[in-house]
Amino acid sequence: MKLTIVGSVAFDAIETPYGKTDKILGGAGTYISIAASYFGNNSNIISVVGGDFPEEYINLLKNKNVDTEGLQIKSDKKTFFWSGKYHKNMNSRDTLITELNVLGEFDPIVPDSYQNTDYLMLGNLSPEVQMKVIKQLKKRPKLIVTDTMNFWMDIALKQLKEVIAEVDVLVINDEEAQQLSGEHSLVSAAKVISAMGPSYLIIKKGEHGALLFKGDKIFSAPAMPLVSVQDPTGAGDTFAGGFIGYLAATDDISFNNMKKAIITGSTMASFCVQEFGTKAIENLSKEEINKRINKFTDLTHFDNFGL
Amino acid sequence: MKLTIVGSVAFDAIETPYGKTDKILGGAGTYISIAASYFGNNSNIISVVGGDFPEEYINLLKNKNVDTEGLQIKSDKKTFFWSGKYHKNMNSRDTLITELNVLGEFDPIVPDSYQNTDYLMLGNLSPEVQMKVIKQLKKRPKLIVTDTMNFWMDIALKQLKEVIAEVDVLVINDEEAQQLSGEHSLVSAAKVISAMGPSYLIIKKGEHGALLFKGDKIFSAPAMPLVSVQDPTGAGDTFAGGFIGYLAATDDISFNNMKKAIITGSTMASFCVQEFGTKAIENLSKEEINKRINKFTDLTHFDNFGL
């Protein structure tokens, strides 16, 4: 099965109560690609970096079976750079620096070899870029998953709604679901958003887990309770990567399999936050992942019962 | 199995974005008793009301198989009264009126017929009152569950810790767990609090569900996603009532059965919030409860899997 990932490949500099980094590897496309690589997929990435982007980072992606033909390198420009500082409770952060650089004029090009992709993951980028990718695909993928954020709801709502109308699974957080739908209840929000197009809606709730909605069906996955969270950066993207990676590998988009994909995404995200940047998800073993998946089973399962 | 419940029996006046009540039946002891009544228990209540408390409310409890010998009636005094107004998001509220009345000088008396109780539920009252009840029991119950709140941590921490050292299960919310332990991570908070005495800790997270901790074992239960929450008053007490009611009825305090008790508590709480006051939990059928329990199974269960 072919999996294509669209998302930023970038530099991050992060400060949390547990430490601080220099410029390190970051970007939604990076986290998604690495997380999706553990399930036996060869994936493709569509993104852009500048001449300052180290070859070792590109090799890191290649070593994860990511085809980088769709990764444009603008040698006379600089890579997207984001810097942020998390507050004490880790639930909120201040952006210190955003240098769009190459991302400001990103014109995604889908290589011929990426045509016939079965699974398309549109990471959080402008709806315009997301739509350009959809339009270039000659055959509609079996499943299109898209991530977005409140920023695009604020400045490009019309274009965002056009993208949402084209996709199968929308991934947003709880506040964004409330903003997009105008509803406080997440159940009501899901109904409103589903009517905009996507059959599936995933609402991420950070440390409180995630909800999957399809029609009247709801699945609730907790986040793994952890002793320490070092750095939440990329957790949402890593979740999305585990989710689409599991679906593409199993090639089954039933509600039952989506539940497992959500647990897989939650598993990968639970690793991600335990170290800074991509460090914790760069070299996981199958055994470590399976052990964490089993922990989710222990965490949530109870025997059937009734009065 | 004998179940004894200690908690306020009171008047509430509630305002939420969905409506407003006059003085209605309220109090932790009331919610706990009603919720616990659905599992085949005869229970006992230890509480106090004034001469203004209507006989119809006492009959409501009696009709739920609640023995009211331990419910003191101070005919020349007034019943505890609380009035509050919820904010738009329902997650916070302002207390408008607190008239302690009879509760201010409450001296709990355990009737002889309540001795040999197997299950003791100490609702949120002063640690002094909670300890007075524990001390009057000639035989230690099989399980003591206690609820408390940040108010007692602020003004009676020493006495509260003495109570906590005596009990098996402590029920508090996430912020209270952080306050009591001085730890931000709930996993770390659970370790610190368990060292204070209780084998089991339940951390309530409101709309995000509840966590059960025992040693290194954790169980996570979601709250039922609902289209509308009319009034959150009493949800935590109703949760506790469903929890202790299920445990007392099944007389099994294993971790596996506690999981089911947590789901039962969550089920009862999910009914509670759908109408004002105790209205939604006054006349539930076995079928309605079983149906809601099954919804929790659908909401959380996924098939075992691995890579």
Side-chain angles (χ1 to χ4, degrees):
Chain A
M1 290 300 131
K2 278 197 188 164
L3 167 60
T4 297
I5 294 157
V6 186
S8 58
V9 172
F11 292 127
D12 284 346
I14 304 156
E15 186 173 347
T16 84
Y18 296 91
K20 199 176 164 172
T21 72
D22 291 327
K23 274 192 182 184
I24 57 170
L25 176 61
T30 304
Y31 283 98
I32 295 169
S33 301
I34 296 175
S37 73
Y38 286 94
F39 310 96
N41 301 302
N42 294 317
S43 63
N44 307 314
I45 192 158
I46 295 173
S47 192
V48 62
V49 293
D52 57 345
F53 197 72
E55 209 178 326
E56 80 176 269
Y57 287 166
I58 296 180
N59 287 335
L60 190 153
L61 294 177
K62 284 182 178 167
N63 288 334
K64 295 287 173 194
N65 297 319
V66 181
D67 183 308
T68 58
E69 193 187 340
L71 177 64
Q72 302 170 32
I73 302 174
K74 305 282 181 190
S75 46
D76 56 336
K77 302 250 169 66
K78 288 176 77 187
T79 301
F80 174 59
F81 172 53
W82 174 83
S83 173
K85 183 178 173 174
Y86 287 84
H87 299 166
K88 213 176 160 188
N89 70 10
M90 299 282 231
N91 292 331
S92 56
R93 67 187 186 190
D94 294 325
T95 288
L96 305 177
I97 304 168
T98 305
E99 292 175 8
L100 273 183
N101 299 327
V102 289
L103 212 58
E105 49 206 40
F106 178 37
D107 187 23
I109 298 164
V110 178
D112 284 345
S113 65
Y114 291 12
Q115 293 293 345
N116 296 314
T117 197
D118 292 306
Y119 290 84
L120 176 63
M121 176 73 225
L122 299 169
N124 170 38
L125 281 171
S126 78
E128 194 191 355
V129 167
Q130 293 178 324
M131 188 59 97
K132 275 185 177 170
V133 172
I134 295 173
K135 289 255 163 95
Q136 285 175 65
L137 293 172
K138 290 166 192 157
K139 191 198 81 180
R140 193 198 188 274
K142 186 183 278 192
L143 193 80
I144 305 179
V145 180
T146 193
D147 193 1
T148 189
M149 67 184 293
N150 53 358
F151 179 72
W152 307 114
M153 296 175 194
D154 292 338
I155 70 159
L157 185 59
K158 187 173 162 284
Q159 293 91 325
L160 177 62
K161 284 190 170 173
E162 285 164 8
V163 171
I164 291 174
E166 295 292 327
V167 307
D168 304 295
V169 185
L170 177 66
V171 184
I172 48 181
N173 75 26
D174 40 6
E175 285 176 15
E176 290 158 356
Q178 290 167 333
Q179 178 176 347
L180 185 60
S181 66
E183 293 284 342
H184 177 70
S185 149
L186 298 182
V187 180
S188 305
K191 282 205 201 316
V192 172
I193 294 168
S194 296
M196 296 177 183
S199 322
Y200 292 90
L201 173 67
I202 296 173
I203 300 182
K204 295 177 290 183
K205 303 193 296 172
E207 62 180 316
H208 301 298
L211 295 168
L212 168 67
F213 294 88
K214 186 192 191 218
D216 286 336
K217 285 192 274 195
I218 313 178
F219 174 63
S220 171
M224 181 60 61
L226 296 169
V227 171
S228 99
V229 169
Q230 296 284 317
D231 171 20
T233 308
D237 302 314
T238 302
F239 170 86
F243 175 76
I244 193 89
Y246 184 81
L247 286 182
T250 53
D251 194 26
D252 171 359
I253 58 171
S254 67
F255 190 77
N256 265 344
N257 202 52
M258 287 227 183
K259 291 182 183 182
K260 297 181 198 172
I262 295 265
I263 294 296
T264 305
S266 305
T267 295
M268 297 308 292
S270 77
F271 285 115
C272 176
V273 300
Q274 294 189 292
E275 295 192 59
F276 277 81
T278 55
K279 204 173 165 203
I281 58 166
E282 281 178 25
N283 291 298
L284 289 167
S285 70
K286 206 170 172 174
E287 289 65 37
E288 285 173 293
I289 295 172
N290 277 332
K291 207 173 153 191
R292 189 67 60 95
I293 289 172
N294 289 338
K295 270 188 130 177
F296 271 94
T297 306
D298 291 343
L299 185 65
T300 58
H301 280 223
F302 54 88
D303 297 335
N304 278 327
F305 73 105
L307 306 191
Chain B
M1 291 301 129
K2 277 196 187 165
L3 167 61
T4 297
I5 294 157
V6 186
S8 58
V9 173
F11 291 127
D12 284 345
I14 303 156
E15 186 173 348
T16 83
Y18 296 90
K20 199 176 165 171
T21 72
D22 291 329
K23 274 191 182 185
I24 58 171
L25 176 61
T30 304
Y31 283 96
I32 295 169
S33 301
I34 295 175
S37 73
Y38 286 94
F39 309 96
N41 302 302
N42 294 318
S43 63
N44 307 314
I45 193 159
I46 295 174
S47 191
V48 61
V49 294
D52 57 346
F53 197 71
E55 210 179 326
E56 82 178 269
Y57 287 165
I58 295 178
N59 288 335
L60 189 153
L61 293 177
K62 285 181 179 167
N63 288 334
K64 296 287 173 194
N65 297 318
V66 181
D67 184 308
T68 58
E69 193 187 340
L71 176 64
Q72 302 170 32
I73 301 173
K74 306 282 181 189
S75 47
D76 56 338
K77 301 252 168 64
K78 288 176 77 185
T79 301
F80 174 59
F81 172 53
W82 174 83
S83 173
K85 183 177 173 174
Y86 287 84
H87 299 166
K88 213 177 161 188
N89 69 10
M90 299 283 229
N91 291 331
S92 56
R93 66 187 187 192
D94 293 326
T95 288
L96 304 176
I97 303 168
T98 305
E99 292 175 7
L100 274 182
N101 299 328
V102 288
L103 211 58
E105 50 205 40
F106 178 37
D107 187 24
I109 298 164
V110 178
D112 285 344
S113 65
Y114 290 12
Q115 292 293 347
N116 295 315
T117 196
D118 291 305
Y119 290 85
L120 176 62
M121 175 73 225
L122 300 169
N124 170 38
L125 281 171
S126 79
E128 194 191 357
V129 167
Q130 293 178 324
M131 188 59 97
K132 275 185 177 170
V133 173
I134 294 174
K135 290 256 163 95
Q136 284 175 66
L137 293 172
K138 291 166 193 158
K139 191 198 80 177
R140 194 198 188 273
K142 185 183 280 193
L143 193 80
I144 306 179
V145 180
T146 191
D147 193 0
T148 188
M149 67 184 293
N150 53 357
F151 179 73
W152 306 114
M153 296 175 194
D154 292 337
I155 69 159
L157 185 60
K158 187 173 163 284
Q159 294 91 326
L160 177 61
K161 284 190 170 173
E162 285 165 7
V163 170
I164 291 174
E166 295 291 327
V167 309
D168 303 295
V169 184
L170 177 65
V171 184
I172 49 182
N173 74 27
D174 41 7
E175 285 176 16
E176 290 157 357
Q178 290 167 333
Q179 179 175 346
L180 185 59
S181 66
E183 294 284 342
H184 178 70
S185 149
L186 298 182
V187 180
S188 305
K191 282 206 200 315
V192 171
I193 294 168
S194 296
M196 295 177 184
S199 322
Y200 292 89
L201 173 66
I202 296 172
I203 300 183
K204 296 177 289 183
K205 304 193 296 171
E207 62 179 316
H208 300 299
L211 295 169
L212 169 67
F213 293 87
K214 185 191 192 220
D216 287 335
K217 285 191 274 194
I218 313 179
F219 175 63
S220 171
M224 181 58 61
L226 296 168
V227 171
S228 98
V229 169
Q230 296 285 315
D231 171 21
T233 309
D237 302 314
T238 302
F239 170 86
F243 175 77
I244 193 91
Y246 185 82
L247 285 182
T250 53
D251 193 26
D252 171 358
I253 58 171
S254 67
F255 191 75
N256 265 344
N257 202 52
M258 287 226 183
K259 291 182 182 183
K260 298 181 197 172
I262 295 264
I263 294 295
T264 305
S266 305
T267 295
M268 298 309 290
S270 77
F271 285 115
C272 175
V273 300
Q274 294 190 292
E275 295 191 59
F276 277 80
T278 56
K279 203 174 166 203
I281 58 166
E282 281 177 27
N283 290 298
L284 288 167
S285 70
K286 205 171 174 175
E287 289 66 36
E288 285 172 294
I289 295 173
N290 276 333
K291 207 173 152 191
R292 188 66 61 95
I293 289 173
N294 289 338
K295 270 189 129 176
F296 272 95
T297 306
D298 291 342
L299 186 64
T300 58
H301 280 223
F302 53 90
D303 297 335
N304 278 327
F305 73 105
L307 306 191

